[in-house]
Amino acid sequence: MLDRIGLDRTDRRNLLVVMGVVGAVTAVVSEGTLGVRLPVGLIAGLISGAVFVVSTVVINRYKPAHW
């Protein structure tokens, strides 16, 4: 599915890295019990992943030809 929207292999790897780092950092710095921190980190990781996909697709589609 990600191939259809224009994400190549390195973009998919970067997506997983971004989601993992944002989710882990958010889970560590958020307050509450472990049962609260993990869903907060998961939700933050999913949101950052969605933003990453949208921004990468827009950049790949509208970037200048000399890039």
Side-chain angles (χ1 to χ4, degrees):
M1 181 181 133
L2 293 176
D3 290 335
R4 282 192 244 158
I5 61 174
L7 293 179
D8 59 358
R9 184 178 174 143
T10 58
D11 291 333
R12 289 187 296 240
R13 184 201 60 209
N14 291 342
L15 169 66
L16 291 176
V17 169
V18 166
M19 288 176 64
V21 168
V22 169
V25 169
T26 304
V28 168
V29 299
S30 63
E31 292 184 17
T33 63
L34 188 61
V36 172
R37 289 173 147 188
L38 291 179
V40 167
L42 179 66
I43 292 169
L46 291 174
I47 291 171
S48 68
V51 170
F52 180 86
V53 167
V54 169
S55 62
T56 303
V57 167
V58 169
I59 288 170
N60 287 342
R61 185 159 295 160
Y62 297 110
K63 67 182 176 185
H66 64 274
W67 273 14

